[in-house]
Short mmCIF file of all heavy atoms in Angstrom, two decimals:
data_model
loop_
_atom_site.label_atom_id
_atom_site.label_comp_id
_atom_site.label_asym_id
_atom_site.label_seq_id
_atom_site.Cartn_x
_atom_site.Cartn_y
_atom_site.Cartn_z
N PHE A 226 -56.33 28.57 19.91
CA PHE A 226 -55.80 28.62 21.26
C PHE A 226 -56.62 27.66 22.11
O PHE A 226 -57.86 27.54 21.95
CB PHE A 226 -55.89 30.02 21.82
CG PHE A 226 -54.80 30.93 21.38
CD1 PHE A 226 -55.06 32.01 20.52
CD2 PHE A 226 -53.49 30.70 21.76
CE1 PHE A 226 -54.03 32.79 20.12
CE2 PHE A 226 -52.47 31.50 21.35
CZ PHE A 226 -52.74 32.60 20.52
N ASN A 227 -56.04 27.02 23.08
CA ASN A 227 -56.74 26.18 24.04
C ASN A 227 -57.16 27.09 25.19
O ASN A 227 -56.35 27.54 25.98
CB ASN A 227 -55.84 25.05 24.59
CG ASN A 227 -55.47 24.08 23.49
OD1 ASN A 227 -56.26 23.92 22.56
ND2 ASN A 227 -54.38 23.40 23.64
N ILE A 228 -58.45 27.33 25.29
CA ILE A 228 -59.03 28.20 26.34
C ILE A 228 -59.79 27.26 27.31
O ILE A 228 -60.90 26.86 27.00
CB ILE A 228 -59.94 29.26 25.74
CG1 ILE A 228 -59.17 30.09 24.67
CG2 ILE A 228 -60.47 30.13 26.86
CD1 ILE A 228 -60.02 31.03 23.93
N GLU A 229 -59.16 26.98 28.43
CA GLU A 229 -59.75 26.02 29.36
C GLU A 229 -60.82 26.71 30.28
O GLU A 229 -61.72 26.08 30.72
CB GLU A 229 -58.67 25.40 30.22
CG GLU A 229 -57.73 24.52 29.41
CD GLU A 229 -56.64 23.93 30.21
OE1 GLU A 229 -56.77 23.84 31.44
OE2 GLU A 229 -55.63 23.46 29.64
N GLY A 230 -60.62 27.99 30.57
CA GLY A 230 -61.55 28.70 31.42
C GLY A 230 -62.95 28.80 30.78
O GLY A 230 -63.98 28.70 31.45
N ALA A 231 -63.03 28.95 29.46
CA ALA A 231 -64.27 29.02 28.79
C ALA A 231 -65.01 27.73 28.76
O ALA A 231 -66.24 27.66 28.83
CB ALA A 231 -64.08 29.56 27.37
N GLU A 232 -64.27 26.62 28.68
CA GLU A 232 -64.88 25.29 28.66
C GLU A 232 -65.54 24.99 30.01
O GLU A 232 -66.59 24.39 30.10
CB GLU A 232 -63.85 24.27 28.30
CG GLU A 232 -63.32 24.35 26.87
CD GLU A 232 -62.23 23.38 26.61
OE1 GLU A 232 -61.88 22.57 27.54
OE2 GLU A 232 -61.67 23.42 25.56
N GLU A 233 -64.93 25.37 31.12
CA GLU A 233 -65.47 25.12 32.45
C GLU A 233 -66.74 25.91 32.70
O GLU A 233 -67.65 25.40 33.30
CB GLU A 233 -64.41 25.46 33.51
CG GLU A 233 -63.22 24.51 33.52
CD GLU A 233 -62.13 25.00 34.49
OE1 GLU A 233 -62.36 25.99 35.23
OE2 GLU A 233 -61.07 24.36 34.51
N GLU A 234 -66.79 27.18 32.21
CA GLU A 234 -67.98 27.97 32.35
C GLU A 234 -69.17 27.41 31.55
O GLU A 234 -70.28 27.48 31.94
CB GLU A 234 -67.71 29.43 31.90
CG GLU A 234 -66.75 30.12 32.84
CD GLU A 234 -66.41 31.52 32.30
OE1 GLU A 234 -66.97 31.91 31.30
OE2 GLU A 234 -65.54 32.16 32.94
N ASP A 235 -68.83 26.82 30.33
CA ASP A 235 -69.91 26.29 29.51
C ASP A 235 -70.51 24.99 30.14
O ASP A 235 -71.72 24.71 29.96
CB ASP A 235 -69.35 25.96 28.13
CG ASP A 235 -69.01 27.16 27.34
OD1 ASP A 235 -69.57 28.26 27.69
OD2 ASP A 235 -68.18 27.09 26.39
N GLN A 236 -69.73 24.27 30.88
CA GLN A 236 -70.19 23.02 31.46
C GLN A 236 -71.11 23.26 32.68
O GLN A 236 -71.93 22.40 33.00
CB GLN A 236 -69.03 22.13 31.89
CG GLN A 236 -68.23 21.63 30.75
CD GLN A 236 -66.99 20.84 31.19
OE1 GLN A 236 -66.72 20.77 32.33
NE2 GLN A 236 -66.27 20.29 30.18
N GLU A 237 -71.00 24.39 33.33
CA GLU A 237 -71.78 24.65 34.55
C GLU A 237 -73.20 25.06 34.23
O GLU A 237 -73.85 25.21 33.44
CB GLU A 237 -71.10 25.77 35.36
CG GLU A 237 -69.83 25.31 35.99
CD GLU A 237 -69.18 26.46 36.76
OE1 GLU A 237 -69.76 27.50 36.92
OE2 GLU A 237 -68.11 26.17 37.31
#
Side-chain angles (χ1 to χ4, degrees):
F226 280 113
N227 292 334
I228 304 172
E229 295 179 18
E232 292 175 4
E233 292 174 4
E234 292 174 6
D235 291 339
Q236 292 176 357
E237 291 179 4

